[in-house]
């Protein structure tokens, strides 16, 4: 995947409707190598061809991607600064997980459409002497020093909190600035476990760097057929939250520019080869227009507000 990401960073130098050296920037709220970064580079390359315009990715990690989201909200609405948004910055952060969010995702951004989704997987360091969820819970209960859960995004943080509250109150929930850093510490044995999106999990599982214990969906995933679903484990009561990515522009972007950009991303996501690449990586592709994305965003925001309230999660500053 690393070679693919590097190759995708090179895009043609053409412009919106005319030859130009002015690129479209796809702002990503996570570091290079993250799932959102991967989506941005893959979809951005396809969009560049369709727009006849250069498309570059700009990484602005921090604060569960709310910093990057706010940067796009405040950007000049000329169709040249877009957000490859994730649920962290568009639903979980504004729903109450991040303190001081100064934008409303429903009114300050214009959805351009296109949704890719991926479920979460509970993983541990293979050196940990556990083979299943029940074994993990038994070990961390008996040995408090081993009870730690890393997270690099909102979904991971919520799952860590659920483990802590429902199964092991002494668990240390350890948030990281980015997912790759969190994964490194789990693989190195500094942290016991992590809930990681399937796309990021697959290469680590196949290489033997991480051991999967459960997929956080009601049914098993065809890309990990031997890994139990959450309903087959002690995590059956956990929500089946998905990570997702979609494209947004500042709210005041002119309709003509928004329509052209929306058409480009929708065309990209209906391309057979691109869809196959995304699906093989672990994504579920749900291409939809701006209205569909707005409805999806509103529903997900309401879901996270309820979840954060029910868990009484304290916002991060």
């Amino acid at each position: 995947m690393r070679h693919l990401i590097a190759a995708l960073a090179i895009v043609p130098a053409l412009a919106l409707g005319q030859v130009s050296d002015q690129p479209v920037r796809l702002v990503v709220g996570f570091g290079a190598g993250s799932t959102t970064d991967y989506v941005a580079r893959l979809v951005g390359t396809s969009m560049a061809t369709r727009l006849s315009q250069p498309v570059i990715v700009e990484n602005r990690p921090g604060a569960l991607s709310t910093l990057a989201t706010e940067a796009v909200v405040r950007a000049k609405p000329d169709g040249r600064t877009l957000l490859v948004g994730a649920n962290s910055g568009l639903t979980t952060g504004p729903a109450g997980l991040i303190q001081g969010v100064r934008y409303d995702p429903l009114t300050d951004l214009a959805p351009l459409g296109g949704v890719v989704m991926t479920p979460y997987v509970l993983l541990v360091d293979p050196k940990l002497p556990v083979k299943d969820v029940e074994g993990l819970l038994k070990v961390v209960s008996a040995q408090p020093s081993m009870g730690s859960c890393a997270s690099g995004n909102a979904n991971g943080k919520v799952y860590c909190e659920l483990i802590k509250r429902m199964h092991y109150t002494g668990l240390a929930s350890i948030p990281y600035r980015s997912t790759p850093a969190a994964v490194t510490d789990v693989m190195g044995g500094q942290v016991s476990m992590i809930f990681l999106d399937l796309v990021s999990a697959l290469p680590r599982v196949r290489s033997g760097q991480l051991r999967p214990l459960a997929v956080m969906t009601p049914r098993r995933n065809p890309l990990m057929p031997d890994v139990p679903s959450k309903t087959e484990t002690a995590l059956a009561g956990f929500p089946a939250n998905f990570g997702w990515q979609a494209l947004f522009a500042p709210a005041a972007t002119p309709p003509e520019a928004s329509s052209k950009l929306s058409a480009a991303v929708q065309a990209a996501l209906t391309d057979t080869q691109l869809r196959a690449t995304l699906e093989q990586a672990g994504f579920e592709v749900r291409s939809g227009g701006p209205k569909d994305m707005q409805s999806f965003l509103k529903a997900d925001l309401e879901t996270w507000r309820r979840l954060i309230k029910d868990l009484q999660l304290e916002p991060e500053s």
Side-chain angles (χ1 to χ4, degrees), residues 4 8 37-47 274 277-278:
L4 176 61
L8 292 170
D37 178 76
Y38 175 68
V39 171
R41 294 182 189 279
L42 191 60
V43 175
T45 299
S46 181
M47 288 180 64
L274 179 58
T277 300
L278 288 167

Side-chain angles (χ1 to χ4, degrees), residues 60-206:
R60 291 193 180 190
L64 293 179
S65 79
T66 57
L67 298 179
T69 305
E70 183 173 353
V72 174
V73 166
R74 310 299 177 202
K76 184 178 179 180
D78 58 3
R80 298 192 185 279
T81 302
L82 309 178
L83 175 73
V84 182
N87 57 295
S88 291
L90 291 162
T91 55
T92 54
L97 210 54
I98 291 293
Q99 193 174 55
V101 173
R102 295 178 293 182
Y103 57 84
D104 183 339
L106 296 176
T107 58
D108 292 334
L109 290 165
L112 301 175
V115 179
V116 291
M117 307 179 73
T118 183
Y120 274 70
V121 184
L122 171 59
L123 306 115
V124 296
D125 179 354
K127 296 186 291 294
L128 203 65
V130 298
K131 300 295 184 182
D132 52 34
V133 172
E134 289 69 25
L136 174 65
L137 295 175
K138 185 180 295 185
V139 165
V140 298
S141 295
Q143 303 179 52
S145 62
M146 300 180 70
S148 54
C149 185
S151 60
N153 54 41
N155 285 59
K157 177 181 173 65
V158 166
Y159 278 134
C160 287
E161 289 293 336
L162 282 168
I163 283 266
K164 179 177 180 179
R165 295 180 186 220
M166 296 176 67
H167 293 286
Y168 180 58
T169 57
L171 183 76
S173 178
I174 307 174
Y176 284 72
R177 183 178 174 86
S178 68
T179 297
V183 172
T184 297
D185 278 2
V186 177
M187 292 190 301
Q190 287 90 352
V191 186
S192 307
M193 69 189 84
I194 187 170
F195 288 91
L196 192 61
D197 65 86
L198 179 63
V199 175
S200 299
L202 276 172
R204 275 91 178 189
V205 170
R206 289 168 176 166

